[in-house]
Amino acid sequence: MATTSTPAPKVNRLGLPILDYRGGKTTLCAGCGHNAISERIIDAFYEMGVQPERIMKLSGIGCSSKSPAYFLSRSHSFNSVHGRMPAVATGALLANKTMQAIGVSGDGDTASIGMGQFVHLMRRNLPLIYIIEDNGVYGLTKGQFSATADLGSKLKTGVINDLPAIDTCSLAIQLGATFVGRSFSGDKKQLLAMLKAAIAHKGTVMLDVISPCVTFNDHEGSTKSYKYMQEHEEAINEIGFVPHFEDIAVDYEEGTSYDVRMHDGSQLRLRKLREDYNPTDRVTAVKQLMEAHEKGEVLTGIFYLDTEKPSFTDMLNTVDEPLATLPEERTRPSKQVLDEIMARMQ
Amino acid sequence: MATGDVALGNPEPSTGTNSDLSGRKPVINDFSIQVATVNGSGSQSANSILLRSIFGMGIPVSGKNLFPSNIAGLPTWYTIRASKNGYVARKKDIDIVVAMNAETAKDDILSLPTGGVAVYEASFALEQYRSDVTCYPVPFDKLTAAVCPEARLRKLVKNMIYVGVVAKIIGLDMKAVEKALRKQFAKKQKAADLNWAAVEAGYNYASETFTKQDPFVLEPMHATDGKIIIDGNAACALGALFAGVTVVTWYPITPSSSVVESLIDLLKKYRIEPDGKASFAVVQAEDELAAVGMVLGAGWAGARSMTATSGPGISLMAEFAGLGYWAELPGVIFDIQRVGPSTGLPTRTAQADLLSIAYLSHGDTKHVMLLPGSVKECYEFSAAAFDLTERLQTPVFVVSDLDLGMNNWMSEPFEYPTKPLDRGKVLTAEDLTRLGGFARYKDVDGDAIPYRTLPGTDHPQAAYFTRGSGHNEKALYTEKPDDYQNMMERLDRKFETARTLVPAPVVVANGTSKIGILAFGTSDFAITESRDQLKNEYQFDTDYLRIRAFPFSKEVQDFVASHERVYVVEQNRDAQLLSLLKLDLPAGETLKLRSIRHYNGLPIDARSVTDELVLQEGI
Ligand SMILES: Cc1ncc(C[n+]2csc(CCOP(=O)(O)OP(=O)(O)O)c2C)c(N)n1
Ligand code: SF4
């Protein structure tokens, strides 16, 4: 048959077009790093073929925390209060551990008001992809320094930051997160590969993504600007990721890379760019992060990975089904139980 | 009674003679005992055995722990009230003091009214301070050493000696004592035997040494047949268990911790499935902000979730409480009130969180509160709270207090729920297919309660966006004035729906009295007794309405409307219930309200209510 027809839209393995992974139109500033991150989240979930209805997306408050509105509109979404998304995500995953959860936070949201919750989230190893869209400033309240701003960095107004930065990646590694990495919103390839690996991981994924704020922090003197990142980014590993549903093809030389089988059967290959880098060694990871920071380098890549440690929901040993929808027969004990308790109290 | 026939051994009998009761009429089943000990001395078992033995004799009894905010070393008091009339409120006067704490012993005996009784460590020589009370000095250390060879156990066993002494003096049935003791040490035969030996040593010493000279005696009754003894927090935990709670988050704080601790025990016992997996999750959160955040996250995702806290925790939960109200999230929050402001008196009781909870958070926010007034209601209301929170899609607070929560109370046994769990308006994927979608915040049924879907509902139109910022009926972000106002007005109408769903008040009215009393929670016990005092002593009739929830049911307005004056009795300084009533009632009616308040950290007592009402009425 020689009829011409418009080509069918490209679909993923679930038969869904990428449109089904999009969200509302962004209201963030044009060029904001957060928008690029949303795009990569869309690509990652599309390419990994995750059913959008199986995803919960959660956030705190800030420009970054608005972004769940701009991806995965078929997923349930919760924009909570400033700095407290970890608690909401924890509750939601306790209620339904069969869901995949992604949390978006800002550097202000995480490293100041939300520091307490961040710390406890990391040590619980909740199965959540936690993304910090890190621009070193408070965007939504118009440009004050955040606690991840580097010592000596400058605001547009000339104000100089005189406090040291909190390194969320070192912290997360020390606290027990099982997948810790840093990327840059402008590095499409690396960020996408990291997000895909994150989807395959079961445990807390902590990704600090440097995401320049074009309105308040993308100028000379900022260490979170596009220009600074282009000049100072140092990838520690090159990330090769093969999802479980694709044939595993080996394209790296043996001996220079580190292979990890992810929970869903996917294959993560981290090709070493730094000679002595071992992503299963927490001490080296923290040491390298600190050394790089001293030199003004911004390391990117996956710093630490542990696919063995049980996640928080595993540790609780709850039934396989969501607690949220267990039927009454399984949640309300029988009358005999009450009678027995009453008899003991007489 | 066999109590008056033993030989006298009181060295300096304050009543002066060896004769029985010195001609005073016996006081039967109507007195209070206060045991003064040192915090951490392990007197709890002994006191609980005393309480349970009186209960075992069929006599109505209540027990109150007055303890310091400290682990060991400071004074602590336990008060037991036996009341043939079934009064269980705190009694203002103590009749019998057991003074075991050297530090407070003098004050303890001085606090007795004339005719009272003091049992004390002989070396305290308290007889020197009072000649108008009966003194029973006991060489506790000597008696303890004789029954307990192991020195390290003596501190605990010593308490059992006073159980024996008191048992002899007031005529406790030793069979009831032994039964209570064996129950207390159910799984520890050796401990039970040792402690029983101590009780007997005390009993025998009293038999051989004292002739009863005071009037206080117990006689068996049948008023406790079939009844149970439980504390309010354990009752709340039972309510949650039978409400099918699935997610429990908490941060320890007195006096609420035991709600969750009891619940954990129950869940571990009754909610592990045959394959060893739990049908519940419990998380000790890092603070109350996290605890309530988890509750709301879990509620959003469809779980029956709860936390328990007290005043300081409530303060921290404010921001999330507002989110829960505005984004319409279910979750149950237990507040076991203690004395504030700030850290206040952490181990004393009050009803002073009412206003802060009612409007917890900024903006126009208001919350549903259930106000249990007995352990039975603790059970019933906690179960009801889970149904209500899912039905109304808003946080529901169960507001109890330390007196109810941490003290033991007798009660009718709890009844098994007759209604299935109410999971509220949740749409399934099939519903969505049938309806062709839904608007999350739309009032479809005219009751102002919208429909929701749960994350994971397998339908492309199931998802919606939950946020604390402005939204319209479709849960889309908006700052339009009409949308905001529309949403706020629906929430107000939803509160009106709540008014019809919360537990209605309990009205005790004879229909002729012009004077009404309004109260809530634990004030009930004192008011019941006070109304009898007013009637018996002053021939003054009152009607009584006990509020059991906020928003107030319509009956509250009717009650005020049908009385000339209404006394609002509550346990706080600022008349918080009265303030809430003023906001709710028609202006004309509020002029009838008068206030009786009690706020010294002790549970309210009947005499204080009676005296104040008599004063204000000019009777
Ligand atoms: C309790 C509370 N305090 C302060 C604010 C105001 N506030 C909103 S967003 C924000 C900072 C956001 O910064 P960040 O997390 O870095 O996100 P960005 O906007 O830079 O993406 C602040 C302080 C608030 N919403 N809530
Ligand atoms: S203010 Fe900065 S962070 Fe906020 S949207 Fe604009 S560029 Fe992004």
Side-chain angles (χ1 to χ4, degrees):
Chain A
M1 285 206 298
T3 52
T4 49
S5 63
T6 44
K10 221 177 126 202
V11 294
N12 64 8
R13 68 194 179 99
L14 297 182
L16 298 176
I18 195 155
L19 201 65
D20 287 354
Y21 291 81
R22 295 240 158 88
K25 193 172 164 305
T26 179
T27 60
L28 302 179
C29 307
C32 174
H34 303 350
N35 287 329
I37 301 172
S38 295
E39 289 299 320
R40 298 296 83 72
I41 291 171
I42 292 168
D43 293 344
F45 280 100
Y46 165 76
E47 288 179 24
M48 288 292 282
V50 183
Q51 180 77 28
E53 285 75 22
R54 302 298 311 158
I55 306 165
M56 303 192 285
K57 44 190 173 119
L58 303 107
S59 64
I61 294 291
C63 296
S64 36
S65 288
K66 284 183 169 189
S67 56
Y70 315 131
F71 56 81
L72 301 175
S73 54
R74 274 167 51 176
S75 306
H76 264 72
S77 188
F78 197 132
N79 196 187
S80 68
V81 292
H82 197 18
R84 324 280 178 206
M85 171 264 284
V88 178
T90 306
L93 280 163
L94 294 177
N96 192 341
K97 67 175 181 181
T98 70
M99 300 290 284
Q100 177 118 42
I102 177 166
V104 178
S105 181
D107 43 310
D109 198 63
T110 291
S112 292
I113 193 166
M115 193 44 126
Q117 297 216 338
F118 172 72
V119 162
H120 288 273
L121 178 74
M122 296 299 127
R123 71 190 268 266
R124 289 194 180 108
N125 197 28
L126 187 81
L128 170 75
I129 301 170
Y130 186 92
I131 297 176
I132 304 176
E133 301 190 343
D134 185 357
N135 51 20
V137 288
Y138 292 176
L140 198 59
T141 49
K142 298 190 186 267
Q144 303 81 0
F145 276 126
S146 85
T148 66
D150 288 307
L151 184 70
S153 61
K154 219 192 254 174
L155 283 186
K156 239 161 75 174
T157 54
V159 179
I160 294 179
N161 181 35
D162 48 15
L163 287 176
I166 290 174
D167 182 355
T168 50
C169 287
S170 312
L171 255 183
I173 295 167
Q174 290 177 52
L175 291 165
T178 47
F179 183 134
V180 180
R182 175 169 287 137
S183 191
F184 168 44
S185 64
D187 188 339
K188 278 189 185 179
K189 188 162 166 258
Q190 185 197 45
L191 181 55
L192 179 61
M194 274 165 79
L195 284 168
K196 282 164 67 179
I199 293 168
H201 183 71
K202 201 161 185 298
T204 301
V205 175
M206 207 303 279
L207 291 184
D208 180 53
V209 186
I210 309 296
S211 174
C213 167
V214 287
T215 306
F216 298 110
N217 206 17
D218 191 32
H219 49 85
E220 212 52 52
S222 158
T223 59
K224 304 267 195 280
S225 61
Y226 281 111
K227 186 151 175 274
Y228 188 91
M229 280 306 290
Q230 271 136 16
E231 286 166 5
H232 295 84
E233 186 187 355
E234 277 279 332
I236 55 150
N237 42 34
E238 205 172 283
I239 299 157
F241 180 80
V242 187
H244 67 95
F245 47 85
E246 278 177 16
D247 281 343
I248 312 279
V250 179
D251 60 354
Y252 294 127
E253 271 174 54
E254 285 295 333
T256 60
S257 60
Y258 192 91
D259 287 339
V260 192
R261 203 179 142 79
M262 305 301 287
H263 294 96
D264 69 349
S266 300
Q267 192 79 15
L268 176 66
R269 170 157 288 189
L270 299 172
R271 192 161 84 95
K272 286 182 185 181
L273 295 183
R274 289 212 169 189
E275 228 13 73
D276 53 348
Y277 205 84
N278 172 358
T280 63
D281 179 356
R282 297 155 74 129
V283 179
T284 325
V286 173
K287 185 164 169 274
Q288 298 227 4
L289 279 167
M290 292 181 84
E291 282 172 359
H293 196 258
E294 296 284 304
K295 286 191 257 166
E297 281 176 11
V298 186
L299 293 192
T300 62
I302 296 175
F303 306 137
Y304 179 68
L305 196 59
D306 175 356
T307 54
E308 301 298 316
K309 187 177 161 184
S311 76
F312 190 56
T313 44
D314 288 342
M315 282 189 308
L316 289 170
N317 194 29
T318 53
V319 294
D320 298 337
E321 305 90 329
L323 293 176
T325 47
L326 285 180
E328 181 166 335
E329 314 83 80
R330 289 170 71 187
T331 59
R332 172 180 272 172
S334 66
K335 180 168 187 305
Q336 282 75 352
V337 168
L338 182 67
D339 292 346
E340 185 189 308
I341 296 170
M342 288 298 108
R344 271 208 305 276
M345 287 175 171
Q346 275 176 0
Chain B
M1 295 298 296
T3 36
D5 57 5
V6 283
L8 172 79
N10 202 351
E12 285 279 46
S14 46
T15 43
T17 72
N18 293 353
S19 63
D20 294 359
L21 299 179
S22 309
R24 288 164 69 187
K25 256 176 60 187
V27 177
I28 302 161
N29 296 349
D30 194 10
F31 55 89
S32 63
I33 307 170
Q34 186 166 72
V35 183
T37 49
V38 180
N39 205 23
S41 66
S43 52
Q44 237 172 352
S45 311
N47 297 335
S48 144
I49 288 165
L50 273 179
L51 178 93
R52 284 177 187 276
S53 340
I54 299 172
F55 177 79
M57 287 177 70
I59 305 161
V61 68
S62 60
K64 288 192 196 301
N65 205 356
L66 266 187
F67 60 106
S69 176
N70 151 281
I71 304 301
L74 289 184
T76 170
W77 292 269
Y78 189 76
T79 309
I80 295 169
R81 177 178 189 185
S83 165
K84 60 179 190 298
N85 300 315
Y87 297 136
V88 289
R90 182 172 71 89
K91 187 165 176 276
K92 221 172 175 182
D93 280 337
I94 300 298
D95 299 302
I96 301 173
V97 141
V98 180
M100 303 296 287
N101 184 354
E103 212 182 297
T104 64
K106 185 179 164 193
D107 286 342
D108 290 331
I109 194 165
L110 289 177
S111 71
L112 282 172
T114 294
V117 175
V119 174
Y120 52 89
E121 164 57 44
S123 62
F124 295 168
L126 298 183
E127 57 281 356
Q128 61 184 304
Y129 302 114
R130 295 288 291 267
S131 56
D132 60 339
V133 304
T134 311
C135 293
Y136 297 111
V138 180
F140 281 103
D141 289 333
K142 220 172 85 193
L143 295 175
T144 311
V147 291
C148 184
E150 251 189 276
R152 72 184 170 89
L153 294 178
R154 283 189 196 143
K155 201 177 94 179
L156 300 172
V157 168
K158 186 168 155 183
N159 297 314
M160 291 299 158
I161 305 270
Y162 71 68
V163 174
V165 172
V166 170
K168 177 66 209 169
I169 293 170
I170 62 175
L172 258 182
D173 176 358
M174 282 296 268
K175 278 203 218 76
V177 180
E178 185 167 8
K179 195 170 156 210
L181 184 140
R182 301 269 169 212
K183 193 166 181 169
Q184 182 85 21
F185 298 100
K187 289 193 184 105
K188 301 178 203 145
Q189 177 72 30
K190 255 173 86 182
D193 292 345
L194 177 65
N195 282 290
W196 179 242
V199 173
E200 283 193 308
Y203 187 88
N204 292 339
Y205 178 82
S207 307
E208 288 153 17
T209 322
F210 305 135
T211 293
K212 184 166 173 72
Q213 295 177 335
D214 65 81
F216 303 110
V217 288
L218 295 178
E219 281 178 6
M221 292 174 65
H222 287 286
T224 67
D225 295 356
K227 289 211 161 73
I228 59 163
I229 290 191
I230 189 172
D231 63 72
N233 285 354
C236 287
L238 272 179
L241 177 76
F242 286 94
V245 67
T246 47
V247 173
V248 184
T249 65
W250 67 305
Y251 188 77
I253 183 169
T254 304
S256 75
S257 296
S258 62
V259 171
V260 178
E261 284 162 344
S262 317
L263 183 54
I264 291 171
D265 288 346
L266 291 166
L267 290 168
K268 281 189 178 157
K269 191 153 181 202
Y270 299 111
R271 290 273 297 280
I272 303 287
E273 304 219 333
D275 61 0
K277 294 195 170 179
S279 63
F280 64 88
V282 181
V283 176
Q284 185 182 324
E286 54 270 35
D287 54 34
E288 289 85 351
L289 293 165
V292 73
M294 290 176 195
V295 164
L296 296 180
W300 171 73
R304 295 210 132 186
S305 60
M306 63 163 273
T307 184
T309 190
S310 191
I314 290 291
S315 298
L316 284 181
M317 291 176 182
E319 191 191 21
F320 260 127
L323 177 73
Y325 173 77
W326 175 230
E328 303 183 60
L329 307 167
V332 176
I333 300 155
F334 288 87
D335 176 31
I336 316 301
Q337 297 170 99
R338 64 188 216 182
V339 173
S342 185
T343 313
L345 308 179
T347 59
R348 297 299 165 94
T349 197
Q351 296 180 317
D353 295 350
L354 207 63
L355 271 179
S356 52
I357 295 177
Y359 302 112
L360 192 66
S361 205
H362 54 278
D364 287 323
T365 303
K366 49 191 174 184
H367 301 291
V368 175
M369 286 188 277
L370 304 186
L371 306 167
S374 65
V375 285
K376 192 148 193 261
E377 285 183 352
C378 282
Y379 166 77
E380 290 167 357
F381 288 12
S382 44
F386 286 91
D387 285 347
L388 269 175
T389 198
E390 289 197 305
R391 168 65 33 195
L392 291 167
Q393 297 175 29
T394 197
V396 170
F397 292 78
V398 181
V399 185
S400 168
D401 65 22
L402 180 142
D403 186 20
L404 193 52
M406 289 191 75
N407 288 319
N408 278 311
W409 303 86
M410 4 168 260
S411 169
E412 292 298 329
F414 303 160
E415 279 149 33
Y416 195 70
T418 49
K419 283 188 286 184
L421 305 180
D422 179 358
R423 305 298 314 262
K425 298 186 184 183
V426 177
L427 297 174
T428 62
E430 296 75 54
D431 293 333
L432 292 170
T433 304
R434 181 168 45 82
L435 298 167
F438 88 116
R440 166 66 181 105
Y441 293 115
K442 192 172 157 79
D443 181 6
V444 178
D445 302 329
D447 57 3
I449 305 171
Y451 283 83
R452 63 177 183 143
T453 55
L454 302 182
T457 306
D458 192 14
H459 194 285
Q461 276 152 322
Y464 64 92
F465 205 103
T466 300
R467 50 160 74 81
S469 45
H471 46 267
N472 63 14
E473 287 179 340
K474 292 187 171 146
L476 299 173
Y477 179 78
T478 170
E479 294 184 12
K480 285 192 189 138
D482 286 353
D483 283 333
Y484 176 76
Q485 204 166 323
N486 176 26
M487 208 50 59
M488 290 302 281
E489 280 162 9
R490 182 179 54 74
L491 285 172
D492 221 19
R493 292 201 309 278
K494 190 164 88 168
F495 212 61
E496 290 304 309
T497 301
R499 204 187 281 277
T500 65
L501 298 179
V502 296
V506 175
V507 185
V508 194
N510 59 18
T512 55
S513 176
K514 296 187 176 78
I515 305 300
I517 298 178
L518 266 183
F520 73 99
T522 45
S523 303
D524 183 50
F525 310 111
I527 288 163
T528 305
E529 188 177 349
S530 168
R531 291 180 66 234
D532 287 352
Q533 288 173 348
L534 288 164
K535 191 170 171 65
N536 298 335
E537 297 167 21
Y538 300 92
Q539 288 72 53
F540 187 86
D541 259 338
T542 53
D543 288 344
Y544 172 34
L545 179 142
R546 180 164 62 88
I547 287 173
R548 302 201 297 171
F550 177 75
F552 305 124
S553 312
K554 183 162 175 307
E555 289 94 326
V556 176
Q557 190 180 325
D558 296 345
F559 183 83
V560 176
S562 60
H563 290 85
E564 275 177 20
R565 282 182 297 287
V566 175
Y567 287 86
V568 182
V569 181
E570 52 190 315
Q571 300 178 56
N572 59 64
R573 184 194 66 183
D574 290 347
Q576 299 193 16
L577 175 62
L578 187 123
S579 304
L580 274 184
L581 286 162
K582 278 187 178 166
L583 290 167
D584 200 63
L585 294 172
E589 300 294 350
T590 64
L591 299 172
K592 297 173 172 178
L593 302 180
R594 298 193 172 186
S595 180
I596 294 180
R597 291 153 301 128
H598 174 97
Y599 49 93
N600 60 4
L602 300 176
I604 191 169
D605 63 281
R607 185 53 60 192
S608 300
V609 178
T610 304
D611 291 352
E612 181 63 24
L613 198 144
V614 164
L615 190 77
Q616 289 197 35
E617 274 296 299
I619 305 170

